[in-house]
Amino acid sequence: MLTKWGSTRRRTVVTVLLSAGALLATTGPAAAAGPDAAGRDVYVSPGGSDQASGTAGHPVRTLDRARDLVRQRAPHLTRDLTVHLAPGVFRLAAPLRLDARDSGGNGHRVVWQGSGDTELNGGVRVTGWRPVPGRPGLFSAPAPAGLDNTRQLYVDGVREQRARGPLPVTVKATATGYTASADTLAHWHNPKDVEFVYTSGEALWNVQRDGLGQWTEPRCPLAAADGTTITMANPCWDNSTKRVLFPDIPGRSVNMVGPADLTNGRHPTYAENAFELLDTPGEWYLDRSTHVVYYLPRAGQDLRRADVEMPVLEKLLDAQGTAAAPIHDIAFRGLRYSYATWLTPSSPEGFSEIQAGYTITGADGWAVQGLCQFVRGGTCPYASWTREPANVSVSHGRRVEFADSVFAHLGGAGLDLIEGTKEAQVRGDVFTDISGNGVQVGGVDKPVTDTDADVVRDVQVTDNHLYGLPREFHGGVPIVNGYTVRNTISHNQIDHVGYSAISVGWGGWPDKIKRPATPNLSHDNVVADNLIFDYMQMLDDGGGVYTQGITGTSLDDGEKVTGNVIHGQWGLGKAVYTDNGNTYETVRGNVLYGTAYFNVGTVHVDYRDDLGNNDPTLIEGNYWEQGDRDKVDKGAITRGNQILARPADAPPAIVANAGLEPAYRRLLFRPVGGCGPAEAPSRVGTFAVAGKLYATWNPTFAFNNAPITDYVVTASGGGRTHSATVTAADFAKRAYAEVPGLTDGTQYTVTVAARNAFGTSEPSLPSAPVTPGLHPIALPDIPTSARALPSATAASIRWNPPAAAGDTPVLGYVITVSDGRTIRVQGRDALVTQPTVKGMTRVIDGLHPATAYTFTVAAVTATGTGPAATFTATTAAA
């Protein structure tokens, strides 16, 4: 019998050897190529034997043996050769390594064809669980043979949380680490295992911004804890805390990334990976010194019967050609790539993130990487910033295809198409439960003069569903496209992700110091007809489609962002983000709404000439809430865009065409992974007034096959707890919750847990403490720069938050219209735009053509409603 992935709480590992006829039926047309197929194709089953012939009746057992048989037959192809992989789990002792010898030939392909239930598994099962004496509820098991280190553990297909918690001490940064308020960490069992995590995102309420920029989440391990002295591991510490500064530009680091003042960046948000932090069901810890795995089961989990998996391999499939001998004409279909890890972040290198999973590495990385134009010995262009490795990788491949497959339970990035890969296709796949980036196409190390052999070009990433990622390295992006040529990213659905959805380009940061963007070879890349929603749910300063640097040589061959539907942004940023040095991008015919800050932005100065022009950009024919009037702004053109009063008013043709095409919409109903409680929410912020507190948080974006129904907010203080429940729908509208009935003068911390049909998540990390009590009554200031940008029947209302919010943060706004309407404005953008005074937008519809209107907008806080800004506008003639 075949078991569906995730169809039960426990996934049974099956081994099935089908008859030749049955296997032909399950593997599609390629398997039934002709009467001599059995003599040419190769059959593989977990229950086979490598001494067998590889026929349907006598399959081989390992992928390596199948590869060797392919190498014997590939030079003589007269039609496609198919490697038939039976359903079941292929446990890999090493990656499947392929090269040019494994290619198709004579105009035919080699097809590695799975059944859809064929899993390439790089992990080991953990068995032999026993209760730990003296620790009620805690279980341990011997680490399986071959498992020296890993960063992930899964129970019945659900990723569990590596033990974490707040630091048990306060710390003060030093040149080499920290001085702690007590010697607690020095008494922990394995201090060198401990990892400090620095979560960024925007500062909001009492949530601190700890990373190297709002878009990052660095991680650094400890080197030692001796008394109250904490020494951090190098090079991670230096690469995360040092920057080369311009002597003549105060506060600006030479590499343009990360703050020059790293006081906040040195504050650890929380600690991870210590036995002493095991205190919550669903947490685990691998004691490498004793080779013992510890796990605190959730309610209902029975470790005697559960499938507990820990990944060992860092690669599952490694297809490496060369410029002279590329791997070519090969397809991988119907496979599940599962249970691989990535161990570099656990080494002294750590994870010193720059952006989109790229990191600074090496002993002097902070001083030289990406700095060839600016410091002696600097490397360039941005090549030596290290790309996150993928668990499935192709380099120098031609006409390589990944189709109808699942990339899940992975600990690095999902899929690499890099270094000279051309004419590749990624089609009809699911990417989820991945620690970092989903699909990485090309790199950022190819200067203009590179030969075609090393260029990544003509790659199509189409009709894939990417969601519920990144799970560990939260600055990751579902699709990352570097310096490439003629790539197409289209008809994908990307939803419920922690940061940006699609990232294109690189190297635009020098415009911050009035220098041109780094030249590159990119041109003719297309991002079209994608459906993107519920993105940037953890970090900030990103977008649905984020682009940086030069995208071509003109608007004709520059990047095209067309026909996408993008909405439901949580963090501060833009739907289509034209960031530093962005040049020759066309943004046309998109539907954009529900973003915090701008739908499209921002224009930068083009420093390639001395004319003071803006980077050439065309923003045309979009349906948006932004409402900008037609203009030519020194090279940046805005024209023919339409105000979108309501999502339902978007052109049906654009909406229907965006996202998965009809033949691939089945992917939305394909369960991946196990069923269980969701991941915990993150970044809980609070403030208090008399008798109650307010809480906000970043929502859960990893559901484990059941959507979030509500959140449970728990305030703990004075030996008591107070809870409030808010539905997921209400939280999406308001972005905060109230916890009443508190005692003034008592200090409270808050945790938030998410609930779905399978139970309640572990609680979030606790908020910083707050104390309810009486406060002075100061109302917020008046909003600034308020204005209306009207069409004939609607107006885009734009304003900036008040510079001062009074005694409590802004919770929303009230807009009045002279026709008698009062509109309350709530949502995450109302909260997150206020601290840094970023713009707000709302569309008012139902207006009459050629009519004068008066509008007001006032900020609302827990203290009350402040004074209103008043402004007028006249709608256009019909």
Side-chain angles (χ1 to χ4, degrees), residues 77-101:
L77 293 184
T78 59
R79 62 191 68 195
D80 288 356
L81 187 160
T82 300
V83 181
H84 301 276
L85 299 167
V89 176
F90 289 85
R91 290 197 178 272
L92 306 183
L96 173 61
R97 300 191 187 278
L98 305 176
D99 57 34
R101 294 171 292 174

Side-chain angles (χ1 to χ4, degrees), residues 624-625 642-650 793-795 842-846:
W624 62 358
E625 297 172 319
Q642 303 292 319
I643 292 177
L644 183 65
R646 294 165 300 183
D649 294 339
T793 59
R842 285 297 186 275
V843 174
I844 307 298
D845 63 352

Side-chain angles (χ1 to χ4, degrees), residues 484 486-487 504 520-527 547 549-562 582-588 616-618:
T484 62
R486 293 195 301 270
N487 288 349
V504 181
N520 67 76
L521 51 76
S522 294
H523 63 85
D524 289 296
N525 289 307
V526 175
V527 180
T547 302
I550 301 171
T551 72
T553 62
S554 68
L555 283 172
D556 288 337
D557 71 357
E559 179 184 347
K560 305 295 188 297
V561 178
T562 63
N582 179 272
T583 307
Y584 298 130
E585 179 172 332
T586 296
V587 182
R588 178 186 290 128
T617 307
L618 176 60

Side-chain angles (χ1 to χ4, degrees), residues 59-73:
V60 297
R61 183 179 63 84
T62 67
L63 305 185
D64 284 354
R65 179 57 182 154
R67 175 200 60 199
D68 294 343
L69 292 176
V70 168
R71 287 179 177 175
Q72 297 172 14
R73 304 173 189 187

